[in-house]
Amino acid sequence: MVRGMFKSGRFSRVHVKVPGGRTVLRFKEKTPKQPHCGECGKPLPGIPRMSRVEATHASKSSKRPQRPFGGVLCSACTRKRLVAKARV
Amino acid sequence: MALFEVGRVCVKIAGRDAGERCVIVEVLDAHTVLVDGATRRRKCNVKHLEPLAETLDVKKGATHDAVAKAFTALGVDVKESKPRKATTKPRHAHKAKADAGEQSAVGQPVKAKAPKAEKPKAEPAKAPKAEKADAPKKKVAAKKTE
């Protein structure tokens, strides 16, 4: 019987061939998708792909850039927004 | 008046202080200026600034206090950086001790890390705490004897 935690969708099922020759079902924790810019959709650099547990223990500043919209928009889109706001 | 000249108010559009207003205090280069204001006082590339129409009466190389006074005209609060408090955590003391030990063992000059070694001044601060901890115990003991 599969443990409840393995049915949550957090794990992927992997068929592993063991040294004895059998094929065994193993569960591997999924790595989260790389975050993308909310405006242009480009992948955001500088954001580590951690598991949830790792992310709770990591510092905030290690998980996203320190500028406004850090971790939400890419630097180019942030700059565009700030310039547009300044010129109004 | 040129765009990036002393006294020009700008918005920083890159980095940690992005979105904050600043004023140019000194022009250092064709593409670098010294800015101060709601941002930290720092050297800045002109590419990271968006100039505004406003200008302030600021002299070249003005101090932070002078800039803060000028910024009251804009109605913007100026960022005040507080000096860091000296930490009295025991692990820092351990580290300083370890560093000092290593240096003495290797025989390197201790001059470079001299300020770090000065840190473990926490001992006198800890002493009164210990006394406080002892004090209530004594009272309890006194009560028991009564």
Side-chain angles (χ1 to χ4, degrees), chain B residues 1 3 7 21 50 57 66 79 81 107-108 110 122 128 146:
Chain B
M1 193 177 178
L3 260 185
R21 274 193 269 183
E50 179 66 20
D57 257 349
K79 187 173 253 180
S81 59
Q108 285 174 340
V110 195
E146 279 171 17

Side-chain angles (χ1 to χ4, degrees), chain A residues 4 12 21 24 33 42 45 58 71 80-81 88:
Chain A
S12 60
V24 188
K33 276 182 199 167
K42 275 182 192 167
K80 271 181 205 166
R81 276 202 187 191
V88 168

Side-chain angles (χ1 to χ4, degrees), chain B residues 68-115:
Chain B
K69 266 188 188 176
F71 252 67
T72 51
L74 284 177
V76 180
D77 288 336
V78 168
K79 187 173 253 180
E80 297 292 344
S81 59
K82 292 173 192 170
R84 269 190 191 178
K85 285 177 187 174
T87 50
T88 54
K89 284 176 188 171
R91 61 194 170 115
H92 288 274
H94 283 304
K95 207 180 179 186
K97 273 182 192 173
D99 286 348
E102 278 176 17
Q103 280 176 2
S104 62
V106 181
Q108 285 174 340
V110 195
K111 276 184 184 177
K113 291 194 174 179

Side-chain angles (χ1 to χ4, degrees), chain A residues 19-70:
Chain A
R22 289 181 299 133
T23 310
V24 188
L25 186 65
R26 290 277 160 82
F27 293 90
K28 193 183 161 191
E29 195 164 3
K30 289 176 187 172
T31 46
K33 276 182 199 167
Q34 186 164 18
H36 289 72
C37 174
E39 209 156 286
C40 63
K42 275 182 192 167
L44 292 177
I47 300 172
R49 295 166 71 180
M50 298 172 170
S51 71
R52 267 182 254 173
V53 178
E54 280 172 341
T56 48
H57 291 295
S59 66
K60 252 186 186 179
S61 59
S62 75
K63 284 183 280 187
R64 51 172 177 54
Q66 285 297 285
R67 60 170 177 270
F69 302 110

Side-chain angles (χ1 to χ4, degrees), chain A residues 66-68 75 78-87, chain B residues 11-19 47-48 50-52:
Chain A
Q66 285 297 285
R67 60 170 177 270
S75 61
T78 309
R79 207 173 282 197
K80 271 181 205 166
R81 276 202 187 191
L82 292 174
V83 167
K85 199 183 165 191
R87 285 181 183 173
Chain B
V11 174
K12 210 154 175 298
I13 54 171
R16 185 174 130 183
D17 294 329
K47 282 182 181 176
H48 299 166
E50 179 66 20
L52 301 179

